């Protein structure tokens, strides 16, 4: 099973003309050079296609958008964990009921995307593995929570779960990366109070969290028609996916409990 979200060249939105291909479909052509050489998934796919020819086994390519989930160890690309740590620290510094401006830009706050909760991703992978007649032979499938969303819809609900108020971007607000750097002691205080890992704030991949919230400020939603055509119909409310991931993190003593 091959999994990737970079095949569409989302790291190079202007250079490859992402706006011309929205919603993103599996039939979108590979991005041109020199950017194509930076997408190692192309080589993986071609190698699997070559190796599987004439064999008894087959494979599928499943394409999630930003994955929301829980991992028991450090995961540099764990967006849900980064947001949780940030909101927990923000509450510790500013108190319950404080307004948290969205850390990205106004355009990004209203841009469309389709997050992928880890359970939905796993279920699609299982579905593909059990239905090789429809999904095998290098079949390619987008997978996401279901509905197209914006941060303007999701951010207030995520903040509310922490007892905060989610606000729109503010040009004079302290950046997320600077806030985390300045407020590390707030996390240490939280960690000691709840028996958490004091170093988790340092182990978090803040560059990736910032990339997803700040730099991905363009429409990038997926078309899910092909997954639906092969019988995969699972869906989840995007904010609910975050909530479930956070509950798993709390059970693992990675983030503080909601009060």
């Amino acid at each position: 099973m091959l999994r990737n979200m970079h095949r569409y060249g989302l790291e190079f939105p202007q250079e490859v003309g992402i706006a011309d291909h929205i919603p993103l479909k599996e039939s979108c052509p590979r991005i041109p050079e020199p950017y194509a050489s930076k997408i190692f998934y192309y080589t993986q796919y071609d190698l699997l296609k070559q190796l599987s020819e004439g064999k008894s086994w087959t494979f599928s390519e499943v394409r999630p958008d930003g994955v929301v989930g829980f991992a028991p160890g450090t995961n540099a690309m764990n967006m849900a964990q980064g947001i949780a740590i940030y909101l927990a620290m923000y509450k510790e510094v500013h108190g319950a009921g404080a307004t948290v401006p969205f850390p990205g830009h106004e355009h990004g706050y209203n841009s469309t995307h389709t997050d992928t909760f880890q359970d939905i991703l796993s279920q699609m992978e299982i579905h593909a593995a059990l239905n090789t007649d429809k999904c095998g032979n290098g079949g390619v499938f987008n997978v996401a929570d279901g509905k197209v969303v914006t941060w303007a819809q999701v951010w207030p609900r995520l903040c509310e779960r922490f007892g905060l108020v989610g606000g729109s971007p503010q040009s004079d607000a302290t950046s997320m990366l600077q806030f985390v750097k300045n407020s590390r002691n707030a996390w240490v205080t939280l960690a000691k109070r709840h028996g958490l890992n004091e170093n988790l704030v340092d182990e978090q991949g803040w560059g990736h969290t910032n990339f997803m919230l700040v730099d991905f400020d363009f429409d990038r939603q997926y078309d899910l028609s092909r997954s639906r055509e092969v019988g995969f119909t699972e869906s989840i409310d995007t904010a609910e996916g975050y909530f479930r991931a956070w509950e798993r993190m709390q059970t693992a003593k990675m983030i503080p409990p909601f009060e």
Side-chain angles (χ1 to χ4, degrees):
M1 190 73 64
L2 182 63
R3 176 197 299 177
N4 82 80
M5 67 170 289
H6 300 283
R7 188 256 186 246
Y8 295 116
L10 297 179
E11 301 96 323
F12 321 106
Q14 301 299 325
E15 294 85 349
V16 304
I18 288 293
D20 297 329
H21 300 287
I22 299 301
L24 296 170
K25 300 181 179 181
E26 297 88 342
S27 58
C28 289
R30 291 186 176 185
I31 64 175
E33 294 290 1
Y35 312 104
S37 296
K38 302 179 185 296
I39 310 296
F40 65 85
Y41 293 105
Y42 293 162
T43 302
Q44 286 184 320
Y45 183 92
D46 292 342
L47 182 59
L48 284 173
K49 190 72 172 177
Q50 177 184 348
L51 292 174
S52 64
E53 290 181 0
K55 301 296 193 304
S56 59
W57 59 272
T58 187
F59 75 100
S60 302
E61 178 185 350
V62 176
R63 298 177 181 171
D65 197 342
V67 178
V68 174
F70 159 76
T74 300
N75 182 339
M77 299 179 70
N78 194 331
M79 182 169 63
Q81 179 176 295
I83 292 175
I85 294 173
Y86 176 65
L87 293 180
M89 292 173 65
Y90 203 96
K91 182 177 180 180
E92 182 69 16
V93 172
H94 295 286
T99 296
V100 191
F102 180 70
H105 307 293
E106 186 67 34
H107 180 69
Y109 192 54
N110 293 286
S111 294
T112 51
H113 53 99
T114 40
D115 291 350
T116 309
F117 179 48
Q118 64 182 164
D119 290 14
I120 295 292
L121 176 56
S122 299
Q123 288 165 352
M124 178 58 204
E125 291 175 338
I126 293 171
H127 182 84
L130 295 177
N131 294 275
T132 55
D133 57 326
K134 298 178 181 178
C135 305
N137 194 32
V140 183
F141 304 94
N142 288 338
V143 59
D145 292 341
K147 292 183 178 180
V148 176
V149 297
T150 66
W151 283 115
Q153 296 169 327
V154 176
W155 183 250
R157 295 180 61 192
L158 302 187
C159 295
E160 182 181 18
R161 196 73 180 89
F162 277 84
L164 298 163
V165 177
S168 59
Q170 301 295 324
S171 59
D172 60 347
T174 302
S175 71
M176 178 176 60
L177 296 181
Q178 190 62 49
F179 173 83
V180 170
K181 181 179 180 180
N182 294 345
S183 308
R184 185 185 184 281
N185 287 339
W187 176 259
V188 174
T189 300
L190 276 170
K192 290 180 176 178
R193 183 188 307 152
H194 299 287
L196 311 176
N197 179 2
E198 294 182 21
N199 296 318
L200 192 61
V201 67
D202 302 318
E203 297 169 355
Q204 170 63 32
W206 291 109
H208 179 265
T209 307
N210 190 75
F211 188 69
M212 296 297 292
L213 294 179
V214 180
D215 297 333
F216 266 25
D217 62 342
F218 52 89
D219 294 343
R220 66 173 194 272
Q221 74 269 25
Y222 282 7
D223 182 290
L224 302 180
S225 300
R226 184 171 292 182
S227 295
R228 300 301 187 232
E229 289 170 359
V230 297
F232 184 74
T233 59
E234 298 294 331
S235 64
I236 190 173
D237 174 83
T238 293
E240 180 62 28
Y242 277 91
F243 300 158
R244 293 189 189 182
W246 289 345
E247 288 169 0
R248 294 167 185 173
M249 292 177 197
Q250 289 171 338
T251 300
K253 303 290 285 184
M254 297 177 71
I255 63 172
F258 301 127
E259 298 177 357

